[in-house]
Amino acid sequence: ETGVTQTPRHLVMGMTNKKSLKCEQHLGHNAMYWYKQSAKKPLELMFVYNFKEQTENNSVPSRFSPECPNSSHLFLHLHTLQPEDSALYLCASSPVGLAGGPGTGELFFGEGSRLTVL
Amino acid sequence: AQTVTQSQPEMSVQEAETVTLSCTYDTSENNYYLFWYKQPPSRQMILVIRQEAYKQQNATENRFSVNFQKAAKSFSLKISDSQLGDTAMYFCAFRAAGGTSYGKLTFGQGTILTVHP
């Protein structure tokens, strides 16, 4: 079982659909992240959660709605997306250092959810 | 804000040869971490090697080593004795060490490396 598991691996949806991406980590980490990976572009940080609290929203449109019910699970709810939102969505986790310090800085990634918006 | 630039969209190398991937970055921070991540065709990204900016010695991990030039803001990855399993997209990433940066990595555009038999 991999440390960070994402489902579904592939998702095709219309612009009026509502769907959700799920991420689960089995590493005992306290920070979780959503990244967007588009072709020929650097990975874009979308959201950061530390101890279930959202600490970063990188100017993401409201049609993307994250949810973090506990430190092990992270969701990305999708609603009325646009074709340009088609991308690979990567979930990652990391330990948080003492007193919120940097720790090792390493992220542990899932395999991603490939989203296609028609 | 930090930026990370990988100027080589694609590279290729023969098996058992050595290849170097380039990365430059721009930051006003003095203390930070630099990383190389590998994303094979199966897509799960994994850490290859990490360098702390305060360490002058270049990091090495088996066949992987870096050439860290802090003044030049350069951080290249050398892969020795290339293997077919090294075929992947490689990302250079930066993270400031202080403040509330946690895992906020800034990534480069990536370099697709193909190892030929």
Side-chain angles (χ1 to χ4, degrees):
Chain A
E1 184 178 72
T2 59
V4 181
T5 304
Q6 290 187 243
T7 55
R9 294 289 302 275
H10 299 272
L11 177 63
V12 179
M13 59 186 290
M15 290 191 287
T16 58
N17 291 159
K18 288 184 181 180
K19 298 285 183 183
S20 296
L21 306 181
K22 178 183 176 182
C23 176
E24 184 174 1
Q25 58 98 359
H26 310 277
L27 301 169
H29 292 162
N30 291 307
M32 296 187 76
Y33 314 82
W34 281 115
Y35 278 86
K36 176 183 179 182
Q37 184 176 14
S38 305
K40 302 189 188 302
K41 292 178 67 175
L43 271 74
E44 301 172 60
L45 177 65
M46 299 176 72
F47 301 103
V48 181
Y49 278 83
N50 287 290
F51 295 97
K52 303 186 299 180
E53 298 297 319
Q54 187 181 123
T55 56
E56 182 87 10
N57 177 338
N58 202 24
S59 301
V60 180
S62 59
R63 58 185 183 271
F64 294 91
S65 175
E67 178 189 1
C68 188
N70 55 61
S71 294
S72 299
H73 293 85
L74 184 65
F75 295 89
L76 187 62
H77 303 300
L78 314 171
H79 182 223
T80 59
L81 295 190
Q82 305 298 311
E84 59 264 30
D85 296 323
S86 298
L88 181 68
Y89 289 84
L90 293 171
C91 175
S93 70
S94 71
V96 177
L98 293 174
T104 64
E106 178 182 356
L107 293 185
F108 295 78
F109 286 87
E111 294 188 1
S113 294
R114 172 70 64 186
L115 173 66
T116 302
V117 182
L118 302 176
Chain B
Q2 285 74 227
T3 59
V4 177
T5 302
Q6 293 176 249
S7 58
Q8 304 153 316
E10 296 186 40
M11 295 279 286
S12 63
V13 65
Q14 292 296 125
E15 200 174 5
E17 302 275 300
T18 295
V19 64
T20 298
L21 307 184
S22 301
C23 173
T24 58
Y25 59 94
D26 189 25
T27 184
S28 58
E29 302 279 345
N30 189 52
N31 198 14
Y32 48 87
Y33 300 90
L34 294 163
F35 307 86
W36 278 99
Y37 279 86
K38 169 185 176 181
Q39 188 180 39
S42 66
R43 298 181 306 180
Q44 185 165 34
M45 199 164 335
I46 57 173
L47 180 68
V48 174
I49 199 165
R50 174 180 61 242
Q51 175 81 42
E52 289 91 342
Y54 65 87
K55 290 187 177 179
Q56 293 185 340
Q57 186 172 8
N58 289 326
T60 62
E61 287 288 341
N62 301 314
R63 298 182 295 107
F64 298 88
S65 61
V66 299
N67 183 5
F68 173 48
Q69 302 288 328
K70 190 172 183 180
K73 294 188 173 68
S74 171
F75 183 62
S76 60
L77 175 69
K78 186 172 81 171
I79 305 175
S80 303
D81 186 26
S82 297
Q83 300 176 359
L84 297 178
D86 295 333
T87 292
M89 175 149 335
Y90 288 80
F91 291 95
C92 178
F94 170 100
R95 181 191 169 211
T100 59
S101 47
Y102 299 121
K104 287 167 58 176
L105 299 186
T106 300
F107 286 87
Q109 303 92 322
T111 296
I112 298 173
L113 175 67
T114 303
V115 180
H116 297 286

